[in-house]
Amino acid sequence: MVSWRVLDYLVVAGYLVVTAGLGAYFSKGNNTTEDFFLGSRGLPGWAVGFSLLSTTMSSVTFLAYPATSYILDWRLYTKDFLYPAVSVFTALLVAPRFRKSIQSASVYEFLESRFGLECRLFGGATYVVSQLLKLCTTLYLMAVPISMLLGAPLPVVIVFTGVFVTCYSMAGGISAVVYTDVCQSIILLVGGLVSVVAIVSRVPGGISAVAAEAHRHNKLSLGKTEWSWQERTVPTVLAYAAVHYMTKFITFQDAVQRYLAVPSHKELLKAMSLTASLALPTWALFYFIGTCLWAFYRAYPDPTVANLPPDAVFPSFILHELPPGVAGVVISGVLAAAMSTMDSSLNATASVVVTDLIQRCLLPHKPDRFYLRCARCVTLAAATFMICSALILEYLPMESLNDWYNSMQSIMGGAVISLFLIALYAPWFTKPSMLVAIVVSLMVNVFLMAGCSGLLPPTGAVFGFFSRLNSYWVAPLVNVVFIAAAVLTQLFLATMWGKAVLAWLAQKQFSTKKASSVPFDATSEDMHGCNLYEPETEHQRLLASAELQGTQSYGVSGPQSAVRLEPLYEGPAAFSVEMADLDALHQHTNLQEGDSQPGNKA
């Protein structure tokens, strides 16, 4: 057990007090869900830029990146080369469209506007699963050095730190999250710089000796450049990175939430420019820490350290080699890295569950304060899952937690990025093709997960190949399958067989509605909730009633301008309703209902 020093206590306690104070200060302004999820859309760009950077770094950056370069090399740094390019692409071409079209606090509203509620729920569910994985990994990585530092049992540290983050996240909302992220990103960077200086100053020959020794042993290598399905070579890492960062910047709620929280596009550009310019130097700093640790322990061999897992080497150095006070700064950096990720994920997960599930499907039309209470309850539930999962994570076999985290993100990432890109830039695709592509990609994802988990037989041309497939390839391949399935389905729908299928589906749904024991009424309660189309106004209810009457086209003249009704089944064989006078349409609908009754005359 390491004796903790009073000065380190004071440094870490000071950081925790500042963080708790920020949460308490911003809790006063959270009177609506827009305050809680979007900060009243008034957060400054510089703060959001630091928040994006801090959220991305997490304790995976602070502890697992040094572990990777300590035990291997810099091969995973290749992944981060795409971060600035993707952030600029998002700022110029994606975020402005989101800011114009999204009215709620959820990015998945955009999917519903293009392809219906099913796609919205699919995107939200994928995000929530991804964030729950991230939460438990981050909490565990933070608890490891804190447990070593205090000599306390790991479960106690996990529970305490998880509860602390949950309290200020529930109290302060997104405003507290963003401003604490600013403080945490600065502490994290200071902790990284202090670590490098402390290590290099004790290596004979200084930084030049570290670089020379690392180069001689190929510790600065970015990996092999040949194509490989089994190893993490440069093409493998770049393929994973392309999907990973586009998914993060375009489809992740915690990122898009910040695009919506700034007051103008100018502030958004300021935020994205800041995070893009700081990302690569920051990650290089933490990879270099691992290289310095490797050089240090070559110069001063330690049998105890040699027997530690890679993820525990840096915490061991912090505790045993750094002077009083300095260790407290670095440990505060570990806390800051983890907390900045956890608070963002908790708030964003709550916004998705409340906006896309509770408010949209389960309990619509409730007062806003009801949804604000739901947001805090969902935050508490996600935090409970985070703590329980982190307690289990200790017992999973893994090369390092960075490897496990990236692998699980690749496997569970799904094809949501392809769904978003098609929604943004391919208007000719329709909902049926997206639903087919989702089902096919999920089936392929399960198959590839089985191969990466060793559940497929290692023999045979097909099973043997996929049983040896590197998990980094899962997300790229799933997205390729998604796009291929969408294109083939859309081409099929353009044929007469495809049109016949759409007509049959429309007739089947019409028949199901007519066979229901409940009278079919567009204004009844069964029209609300998790349906393909939820009418919110009298105008929309009349449109929905006309649409579901059958497959023929209605032409109604009148004084109002023509309005096109979105079809129930979109595609080449879609059926539309054009109307101009709501009164005339209402009469026409009643007339059609009268025709369907025996003995009635038109």
Side-chain angles (χ1 to χ4, degrees):
M1 181 184 300
V2 178
S3 178
W4 218 31
R5 293 148 293 195
V6 174
L7 190 56
D8 293 329
Y9 269 115
L10 294 176
V11 170
V12 176
Y15 162 72
L16 294 176
V17 168
V18 170
T19 302
L22 287 172
Y25 175 79
F26 286 104
S27 65
K28 302 175 182 178
N30 287 306
N31 300 317
T32 66
T33 52
E34 183 164 290
D35 296 334
F36 192 81
F37 293 140
L38 299 178
S40 303
R41 302 181 189 265
L43 298 177
W46 64 268
V48 170
F50 273 110
S51 180
L52 284 168
L53 179 68
S54 181
T55 300
T56 303
M57 290 189 295
S58 79
S59 54
V60 171
T61 304
F62 208 106
L63 295 179
Y65 277 19
T68 300
S69 57
Y70 172 83
I71 197 67
L72 295 172
D73 48 32
W74 286 40
R75 68 185 62 179
L76 294 185
Y77 187 53
T78 310
K79 160 178 80 72
D80 302 319
F81 291 168
L82 295 181
Y83 185 100
V86 174
S87 61
V88 171
F89 169 80
T90 304
L92 297 178
L93 299 178
V94 178
R97 291 194 61 180
F98 285 160
R99 287 177 57 82
K100 287 182 180 179
S101 59
I102 297 175
Q103 302 301 317
S104 68
S106 172
V107 64
Y108 307 108
E109 175 193 324
F110 181 78
L111 290 180
E112 183 178 15
S113 68
R114 279 285 281 118
F115 299 126
L117 181 61
E118 298 91 339
C119 292
R120 177 177 185 170
L121 294 178
F122 169 73
T126 302
Y127 174 78
V128 169
V129 170
S130 174
Q131 292 308 294
L132 291 177
L133 288 172
K134 184 177 182 180
L135 281 167
C136 63
T137 306
T138 303
L139 178 57
Y140 174 74
L141 277 172
M142 179 179 69
V144 169
I146 302 300
S147 176
M148 294 174 63
L149 183 64
L150 294 174
L154 185 63
V156 174
V157 177
I158 288 175
V159 173
F160 174 80
T161 53
V163 169
F164 181 84
V165 173
T166 303
C167 289
Y168 80 79
S169 299
M170 289 178 60
I174 190 64
S175 296
V177 167
V178 168
Y179 284 106
T180 54
D181 283 352
V182 174
C183 174
Q184 289 160 352
S185 61
I186 294 173
I187 294 174
L188 187 149
L189 291 172
V190 171
L193 289 171
V194 167
S195 299
V196 169
V197 172
I199 301 170
V200 169
S201 64
R202 298 183 58 184
V203 175
I207 191 169
S208 59
V210 171
E213 188 73 5
H215 179 72
R216 187 179 306 115
H217 289 83
N218 211 30
K219 294 293 290 183
L220 300 178
S221 171
L222 295 177
K224 302 176 182 178
T225 57
E226 64 265 19
W227 188 278
S228 175
W229 296 102
Q230 289 80 39
E231 299 182 20
R232 288 196 297 269
T233 60
V234 172
T236 302
V237 175
L238 288 177
Y240 164 78
V243 175
H244 173 73
Y245 281 126
M246 292 187 74
T247 300
K248 176 174 179 57
F249 276 104
I250 298 176
T251 77
F252 272 16
Q253 172 68 10
D254 56 318
V256 178
Q257 196 175 2
R258 284 158 173 76
Y259 310 158
L260 303 176
V262 295
S264 65
H265 184 63
K266 180 179 179 181
E267 291 297 312
L268 173 64
L269 292 177
K270 186 187 300 183
M272 300 301 282
S273 300
L274 181 61
T275 188
S277 61
L278 292 178
L280 287 181
T282 300
W283 284 313
L285 171 67
F286 286 95
Y287 277 113
F288 190 61
I289 290 175
T291 303
C292 293
L293 286 171
W294 172 83
F296 176 83
Y297 286 113
R298 277 181 62 84
Y300 305 103
D302 187 334
T304 303
V305 173
N307 295 323
L308 290 175
D311 304 287
V313 173
F314 188 28
S316 176
F317 179 88
I318 294 171
L319 301 180
H320 294 280
E321 305 294 341
L322 292 181
V326 176
V329 172
V330 178
I331 290 297
S332 297
V334 177
L335 288 167
M339 290 180 176
S340 64
T341 297
M342 290 189 291
D343 57 18
S344 297
S345 293
L346 287 172
N347 187 271
T349 299
S351 68
V352 171
V353 174
V354 171
T355 305
D356 296 311
L357 182 62
I358 297 176
Q359 186 174 7
R360 176 64 181 86
C361 295
L362 300 180
L363 297 169
H365 315 304
K366 297 289 184 180
D368 187 74
R369 293 197 63 82
F370 170 79
Y371 297 120
L372 182 61
R373 290 194 296 271
C374 288
R376 292 194 166 100
C377 291
V378 172
T379 302
L380 180 61
T384 302
F385 176 87
M386 170 185 70
I387 294 170
C388 294
S389 300
L391 294 172
I392 299 172
L393 192 60
E394 177 185 11
Y395 303 101
L396 294 180
M398 60 193 74
E399 174 185 333
S400 73
L401 284 179
N402 188 36
D403 176 49
W404 179 86
Y405 172 75
N406 285 331
S407 298
M408 292 304 297
Q409 286 289 331
S410 181
I411 290 172
M412 298 302 298
V416 181
I417 181 57
S418 295
L419 181 61
F420 267 91
L421 291 177
I422 289 174
L424 285 164
Y425 301 114
W428 54 87
F429 282 90
T430 54
K431 182 167 78 174
S433 61
M434 293 299 100
L435 297 179
V436 170
I438 287 173
V439 173
V440 172
S441 64
L442 285 176
M443 295 171 61
V444 171
N445 207 340
V446 171
F447 176 78
L448 295 179
M449 286 172 62
C452 294
S453 303
L455 300 178
L456 296 179
T459 58
V462 177
F463 287 163
F465 172 80
F466 287 109
S467 65
R468 296 188 299 271
L469 183 70
N470 191 284
S471 60
Y472 278 34
W473 279 110
V474 173
L477 290 178
V478 168
N479 279 274
V480 169
V481 169
F482 183 98
I483 294 173
V487 170
L488 292 175
T489 303
Q490 198 65 37
L491 292 175
F492 170 75
L493 294 178
T495 66
M496 63 179 183
W497 297 282
K499 295 176 183 179
V501 169
L502 287 175
W504 178 78
L505 289 173
Q507 183 61 35
K508 287 289 290 183
Q509 180 158 2
F510 170 69
S511 301
T512 302
K513 286 290 185 180
K514 297 297 287 185
S516 174
S517 59
V518 180
F520 181 72
D521 181 5
T523 64
S524 65
E525 288 297 323
D526 68 333
M527 289 297 295
H528 295 277
C530 294
N531 295 302
L532 289 175
Y533 177 68
E534 178 187 354
E536 297 288 351
T537 65
E538 180 66 21
H539 180 184
Q540 293 173 330
R541 282 193 286 271
L542 288 172
L543 290 176
S545 178
E547 176 186 299
L548 294 174
Q549 290 302 316
T551 60
Q552 66 267 37
S553 177
Y554 294 86
V556 183
S557 61
Q560 298 184 11
S561 58
V563 178
R564 181 177 179 83
L565 174 64
E566 289 297 324
L568 184 62
Y569 289 98
E570 300 174 329
F575 306 105
S576 63
V577 177
E578 292 187 358
M579 68 136 201
D581 185 0
L582 294 179
D583 294 333
L585 177 60
H586 200 194
Q587 296 172 6
H588 192 75
T589 303
N590 293 334
L591 183 62
Q592 292 293 323
E593 292 177 350
D595 289 343
S596 65
Q597 302 297 326
N600 289 345
K601 294 183 180 180

